[in-house]
Amino acid sequence: RNDALMYNVGDIVTVKKKHPCGSFDWEILRTGADYKLKCLGCGRVVMFSYEDFKKRVRKVKSKEQ
């Protein structure tokens, strides 16, 4: 089963732990071996390995929502 197909650039994901700015929502900027995410609260950009990203994500909202 390939979970990587669930995540696309531009999707909004909700993570389990809130960012220090108070936001739970992040936008996916880059996918692949590493995932680049932008906080929708403060605009901070971070990178996670795919395995770390999978552990942190609770819910995926596609960009159409």
Side-chain angles (χ1 to χ4, degrees):
R1 185 171 142 212
N2 191 353
D3 293 330
L5 298 175
M6 293 174 41
Y7 309 113
N8 299 302
V9 172
D11 286 352
I12 307 300
V13 294
T14 303
V15 294
K16 294 176 184 174
K17 286 177 67 177
K18 112 173 122 173
H19 192 244
C21 74
S23 177
F24 284 95
D25 293 334
W26 296 73
E27 178 183 0
I28 299 175
L29 300 178
R30 180 175 170 262
T31 61
D34 292 320
Y35 276 63
K36 191 174 194 177
L37 305 174
K38 181 172 97 175
C39 178
L40 294 181
C42 64
R44 172 98 172 170
V45 175
V46 297
M47 289 191 70
F48 294 114
S49 69
Y50 176 65
E51 294 301 319
D52 201 21
F53 172 77
K54 277 197 322 187
K55 288 179 197 171
R56 293 170 186 258
V57 171
R58 174 175 287 157
K59 183 169 64 169
V60 179
K61 304 178 210 172
S62 65
K63 53 190 154 204
E64 293 86 32
Q65 291 179 337

